[in-house]
């Protein structure tokens, strides 16, 4: 049975931290690990904002780099959740994906996000300790996977 969009937002509201790995099969890509905190804001019942901040460490590179992102998750309908990046502010969201609930409990992008020649797809699953979000990015110069573990 599919998880409803409102149930997914309930789980998203519980997230407190993130860890991720980046792997690239292309010469121009990057590999490494990151970790950080997620501060949750829920301005309306059908919306959850992720304020992500943390540190990124590229393989073979000295030092860590700080990162900061804000994402908006919102209910579209009973089985669809929209994901937007708020890098330009709340009034200028960058649409990323609409995720549809599958009967197998996996949320997937109905249509990949296109950025120039690159296609971004997302699979989101619930796990006992949190959520796993796996991004795949394919394009002429990119063959990358970003594997996020969001922990409650």
């Amino acid at each position: 049975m599919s998880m409803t969009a409102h149930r997914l937002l309930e789980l998203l509201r519980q997230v407190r931290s993130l860890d991720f790995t980046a792997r690239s099969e292309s010469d121009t890509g990057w590999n490494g690990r990151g970790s950080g905190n997620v501060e949750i804001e829920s301005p309306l019942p059908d919306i959850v904002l992720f304020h992500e901040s943390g540190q990124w460490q590229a393989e073979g590179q000295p030092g860590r780099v700080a990162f900061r992102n804000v994402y908006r998750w919102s209910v579209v309908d009973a089985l669809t959740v929209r994901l937007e990046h708020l890098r330009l502010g709340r009034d200028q969201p960058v649409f990323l994906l609409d995720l549809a609930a599958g009967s197998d409990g996996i949320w997937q992008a109905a249509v990949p996000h296109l950025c120039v020649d690159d296609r971004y797809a997302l699979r989101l699953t619930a796990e006992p300790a949190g959520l796993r979000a796996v991004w795949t990015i394919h394009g002429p110069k990119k063959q990358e996977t970003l594997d996020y573990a969001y922990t409650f």
Side-chain angles (χ1 to χ4, degrees), residues 2-126:
S2 295
M3 178 189 309
T4 67
H6 285 97
R7 175 65 183 136
L8 178 57
L9 257 61
E10 287 175 21
L11 294 175
L12 289 166
R13 284 185 184 96
Q14 296 176 44
V15 170
R16 295 297 176 257
S17 63
L18 65 91
D19 289 288
F20 69 94
T21 58
R23 293 282 168 244
S24 178
E25 296 175 24
S26 65
D27 293 337
T28 59
W30 40 273
N31 296 299
R33 302 180 73 77
S35 62
N37 297 314
V38 180
E39 292 184 24
I40 301 299
E41 182 183 353
S42 190
L44 295 169
D46 290 350
I47 294 175
V48 173
L49 300 181
F50 268 31
H51 296 269
E52 299 180 0
S53 62
Q55 300 283 319
W56 159 257
Q57 175 71 55
E59 284 182 3
Q61 300 294 320
R64 297 174 66 82
V65 177
F67 69 84
R68 188 178 270 320
N69 286 300
V70 180
Y71 294 100
R72 178 165 55 205
W73 306 80
S74 54
V75 171
V76 174
D77 60 41
L79 297 176
T80 309
V81 171
R82 177 161 294 155
L83 177 59
E84 298 165 304
H85 194 212
L86 301 184
R87 67 176 166 249
L88 303 175
R90 291 181 195 214
D91 297 333
Q92 297 179 344
V94 176
F95 172 79
L96 296 178
L97 303 162
D98 281 340
L99 297 170
S103 59
D104 55 2
I106 298 172
W107 290 79
Q108 294 189 74
V111 177
H113 173 72
L114 298 178
C115 181
V116 188
D117 293 330
D118 300 322
R119 287 184 354 258
Y120 289 70
L122 175 63
R123 288 174 50 100
L124 182 70
T125 55

